[in-house]
């Protein structure tokens, strides 16, 4: 009876540990990082889409690096840009950018550390490394 009880307790402990590691809530950093990548990718797709309005070409570049302090100004400029209000995809992107800005300045203000303030680095996206086959 005692070995069965030990096995049952061990099984409960292992299951609890497994559930806790998967159910951990996202941190401020992970949320900001994933949202910035999502916005950057959406902007890239928007610019390469052939079905979108020509005003998209005039939008400010939207390459985001949350480790760069200039990302705050970049987000403000993008959200405030007056063009393309008639394009639904642009309005959705502006809403995501506004959310990211709010998270950065309000919820995560004390949790984030900016490693640089190089505004020029946000003008030219870093290309992903080329994979050789």
């Amino acid at each position: 009876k005692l070995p069965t009880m030990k096995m049952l307790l061990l099984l409960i402990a292992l299951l609890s540990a497994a559930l806790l590691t998967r159910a951990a809530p996202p941190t401020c950093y992970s949320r900001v990082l994933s949202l910035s990548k999502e916005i950057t990718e959406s902007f890239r797709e928007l610019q390469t889409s052939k079905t979108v309005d020509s005003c998209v070409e005039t939008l400010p570049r939207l390459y985001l690096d949350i480790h760069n302090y200039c990302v705050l100004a970049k987000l403000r400029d993008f959200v405030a840009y007056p063009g393309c209000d008639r394009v639904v995809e642009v309005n959705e992107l502006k809403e995501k950018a506004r959310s990211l800005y709010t998270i950065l300045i309000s919820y995560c203000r004390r949790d984030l550390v900016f490693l640089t303030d190089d505004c020029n680095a946000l003008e030219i996206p870093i290309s992903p490394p080329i994979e050789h086959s």
Side-chain angles (χ1 to χ4, degrees), residues 43 47 53-61 78 81-84:
F43 180 73
Q47 287 213 306
D53 196 289
S54 61
C55 73
V56 170
E57 294 172 9
T58 65
L59 288 170
R61 292 183 186 197
F78 185 79
Y81 189 77
C84 286

Side-chain angles (χ1 to χ4, degrees), residues 61-103:
R61 292 183 186 197
L62 196 58
Y63 168 69
L64 303 177
D65 176 5
I66 62 161
H67 303 102
N68 188 333
Y69 184 75
C70 292
V71 74
L72 296 172
K74 176 65 81 175
L75 288 167
R76 275 193 314 267
D77 291 347
F78 185 79
V79 169
Y81 189 77
C84 286
D85 288 337
R86 65 186 178 277
V87 180
V88 173
E89 295 88 349
V90 173
N91 288 328
E92 290 171 355
L93 199 54
K94 283 184 176 186
E95 205 48 49
K96 285 182 186 179
R98 187 177 291 111
S99 294
L100 179 59
Y101 181 80
T102 301
I103 292 169

Side-chain angles (χ1 to χ4, degrees), residues 35-51:
L35 186 55
S36 68
K37 287 179 181 179
E38 180 183 330
I39 291 169
T40 300
E41 184 57 34
S42 293
F43 180 73
R44 187 176 297 130
E45 289 171 4
L46 184 65
Q47 287 213 306
T48 58
S49 174
K50 298 197 182 341
T51 59

